[in-house]
């Protein structure tokens, strides 16, 4: 087997393993989501999610001070119908997502894929709209992570709605590549709910000094990397290069040495650590160091992807990885920018949390959008991206 064939085989194995893990979590989470609000209508109905949390980490961790119940139970009861619709339909949408992401099921019937997609879209939109109603009604929770997490929930909600709308628009314009890319992002954002549960349940033994809300904050601060970064990796593993006339779009991406974005990331990370040292007596360490580690892993994946595609002389894939690499490299600087802005309103600890929960995602999402726009341009769906036109024009002068 030649080097290209071996690389494709490895990529297929990785893609299938990641897909199996994601779908497994979605299937297991669906009944927990559907059951989550039953207690507000029947005092005898237990919450399976909390029962699982208590079984792994004890009842104090699941129910007492520092738990979600301690800051949100009253709000959940006051908004029981809104939350029932949000969690129930959101859980069912995740189950439908399993069908849409499974290649064998998707290929079996294109008509079924379309109808399941329509139902998924309706359920997703209703679930997100009811989440917005709850956010307006309840406001931020009284907790250290309250303001930052509240801001992130708004960002996640609008991001989910927008990515779904862009995915729908793309397929109506017969832009299959754009549709797939935007739906990868939409599904990744929908998976943030089960991801948070996995973190606060199974990270507790690793961080025994942290209460549930601390671990929830740690998971939330990872979402800005895990969600868009995971969607970007899925896009790179799934959407292969096509070559042909579209290569001109990717040739316009500056061929900067990989050391330059790595230097930017190193400087931004060092400044971020200095900033953390000013508030490390207030913030649990996991909330800062774990997402920083996730960002470093995503950065490394982009570097390896760019390097491997360069060795294979795959210009399109290499250009896509390079664009994503710049998003990963500038993420620490984006954290600092949001930190400065949010710190004016909420103070230093909450400002840094807002940067970790929201700011870190911004450049990753921008780079993702640039790649998706480039994919549409190479497929002839849209005019070439402005960055490609500008660079070609500059070279012609």
């Amino acid at each position: 087997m030649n080097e290209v064939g071996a690389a494709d085989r490895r990529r297929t194995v990785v893609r299938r393993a990641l897909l199996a893990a994601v779908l497994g979590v979605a299937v297991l989470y669906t009944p927990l989501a559907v059951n989550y609000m039953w207690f507000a209508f029947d005092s005898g109905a237990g919450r399976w999610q909390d029962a699982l949390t208590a079984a792994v980490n004890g009842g104090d961790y699941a129910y007492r001070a520092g738990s979600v119940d301690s800051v949100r139970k009253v709000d959940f009861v006051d908004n029981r119908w809104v939350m029932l619709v949000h969690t129930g339909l959101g859980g069912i949408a995740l189950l439908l997502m399993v069908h849409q992401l499974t290649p064998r099921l998707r290929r079996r019937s294109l008509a079924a894929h379309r109808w399941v997609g329509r139902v998924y879209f309706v359920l997703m939109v209703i679930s997100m709209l009811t989440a917005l109603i709850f956010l307006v009604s309840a406001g931020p929770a009284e907790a250290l992570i309250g303001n930052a997490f509240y801001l992130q929930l708004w960002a996640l909600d609008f991001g989910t709605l927008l990515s779904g709308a862009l995915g729908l628009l793309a397929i109506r314009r017969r832009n299959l590549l754009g549709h797939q890319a935007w739906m990868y992002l939409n599904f990744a954002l929908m998976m943030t709910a089960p991801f948070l549960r996995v973190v606060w349940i199974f990270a507790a033994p690793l961080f025994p000094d942290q209460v549930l809300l601390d671990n929830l904050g740690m998971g939330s601060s990872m979402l800005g990397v895990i969600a868009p970064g995971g969607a970007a990796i899925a896009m790179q593993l799934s959407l292969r290069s096509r070559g042909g006339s579209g290569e001109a779009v990717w040739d316009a991406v500056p061929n900067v040495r990989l050391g330059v974005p790595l230097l930017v990331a190193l400087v931004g990370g060092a400044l971020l650590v200095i900033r953390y040292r000013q508030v490390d007596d207030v913030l649990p360490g996991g909330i800062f160091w774990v997402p920083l580690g996730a960002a470093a892993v995503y950065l490394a994946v982009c570097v390896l992807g760019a390097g491997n595609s360069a060795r294979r002389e795959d210009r399109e894939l290499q250009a896509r990885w390079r664009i994503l690499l710049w998003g990963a490299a500038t993420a620490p600087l984006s954290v600092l920018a949001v930190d400065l802005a949010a710190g004016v309103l909420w103070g230093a600890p909450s400002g840094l949390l807002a940067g970790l929960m929201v700011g870190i995602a911004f450049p990753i999402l921008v780079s993702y959008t640039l790649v998706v726009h480039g994919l549409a341009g190479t497929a002839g769906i849209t005019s070439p991206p402005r960055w490609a036109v500008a660079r070609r024009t500059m070279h012609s002068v």
Side-chain angles (χ1 to χ4, degrees):
M1 182 181 296
N2 59 33
E3 183 180 350
V4 175
D8 286 340
R9 185 178 179 83
R10 288 194 299 270
R11 185 166 61 178
T12 299
V13 171
V14 172
R15 183 176 70 246
R16 288 177 177 175
L18 292 175
L19 178 61
V22 169
L23 298 185
V25 171
V27 171
L28 293 174
Y29 174 71
T30 296
L32 304 184
V34 172
N35 160 264
Y36 192 72
M37 286 304 300
W38 293 359
F39 82 96
F41 299 89
D42 179 5
S43 58
R47 278 188 290 187
W48 300 334
Q49 175 184 295
D50 290 345
L52 177 59
T53 304
V56 176
N57 302 296
D60 287 347
Y61 180 83
Y63 300 108
R64 302 291 188 267
S67 68
V68 174
D69 255 10
S70 67
V71 295
R72 278 304 197 195
K73 188 170 184 178
V74 173
D75 293 324
F76 287 160
V77 172
D78 290 344
N79 297 273
R80 60 176 68 89
W81 283 106
V82 170
M83 285 299 295
L84 179 66
V85 173
H86 168 62
T87 59
L89 295 189
I92 296 171
L94 280 175
L95 198 59
L96 295 178
M97 183 186 76
V98 174
H99 178 279
Q100 299 301 84
L101 285 178
T102 305
R104 185 173 299 177
L105 294 176
R106 190 170 62 242
R107 288 194 299 263
R108 185 171 297 175
S109 173
L110 182 58
H113 176 74
R114 288 171 175 168
W115 277 107
V116 171
R118 292 182 181 115
V119 175
Y120 166 83
F121 187 84
V122 171
L123 296 183
M124 179 271 294
V125 169
I126 296 175
S127 178
M128 292 301 104
L129 291 178
T130 49
L132 289 177
I133 294 173
F134 174 79
L135 291 176
V136 171
S137 174
E142 295 293 333
L144 175 63
I145 66 170
N147 288 321
F149 187 50
Y150 187 67
L151 178 63
Q152 185 187 58
L153 289 176
W154 277 94
L156 284 172
D157 210 313
F158 278 113
T160 305
L161 289 170
L162 179 60
S163 59
L166 289 172
L168 178 62
L169 177 63
I171 199 61
R172 289 181 65 86
R173 299 178 65 184
R174 301 184 184 279
N175 178 5
L176 180 59
L177 296 176
H179 172 71
Q180 289 178 307
W182 286 123
M183 293 314 297
Y184 280 139
L185 179 60
N186 182 263
F187 292 152
L189 294 175
M190 286 289 288
M191 283 296 297
T192 57
F195 174 80
L196 282 180
R197 274 68 178 179
V198 169
V199 171
W200 84 48
I201 293 174
F202 297 104
L206 302 176
F207 299 89
D209 296 331
Q210 297 187 175
V211 297
L212 191 152
L213 286 176
D214 291 337
N215 288 329
L216 186 154
M218 180 176 65
S220 299
S221 58
M222 293 171 64
L223 291 182
V225 178
I226 298 295
I233 293 171
M235 174 178 63
Q236 292 293 83
L237 293 175
S238 302
L239 304 184
R240 298 184 178 183
S241 303
R242 290 162 307 286
S245 58
E247 288 184 351
V249 171
W250 304 111
D251 286 341
V253 177
N255 191 21
V256 180
R257 291 183 180 274
L258 295 181
V260 176
L262 288 178
L263 179 61
V264 171
L266 183 61
V267 171
L271 293 174
L272 198 53
V273 170
I274 294 172
R275 178 71 183 91
Y276 170 68
R277 291 302 185 190
Q278 299 173 355
V279 294
D280 61 352
D281 58 332
V282 178
L283 298 181
I287 285 182
F288 179 80
W289 292 110
V290 172
L292 203 64
V297 170
Y298 177 59
L299 180 72
V301 170
C302 292
V303 171
L304 290 174
N308 289 335
S309 54
R311 285 191 294 272
R312 296 172 56 189
E313 298 183 350
D314 188 332
R315 288 183 295 172
E316 176 182 333
L317 198 60
Q318 181 189 10
R320 282 156 46 182
W321 277 120
R322 284 180 173 275
I323 294 172
L324 295 175
L325 174 58
W326 275 106
T330 54
L333 295 176
S334 180
V335 173
L336 290 170
V338 174
D339 172 23
L340 291 174
V344 174
L345 297 175
W346 301 325
S350 293
L352 182 55
L353 285 174
L356 291 168
M357 293 185 185
V358 178
I360 200 169
F362 181 73
I364 299 176
L365 285 170
V366 169
S367 64
Y368 189 93
T369 302
L370 288 173
V371 172
V372 177
H373 192 33
L375 287 169
T378 58
I381 304 299
T382 66
S383 58
R386 291 183 180 178
W387 49 263
V389 174
R391 186 165 177 81
R392 288 206 301 270
T393 303
M394 184 171 61
H395 277 294
S396 64
V397 175

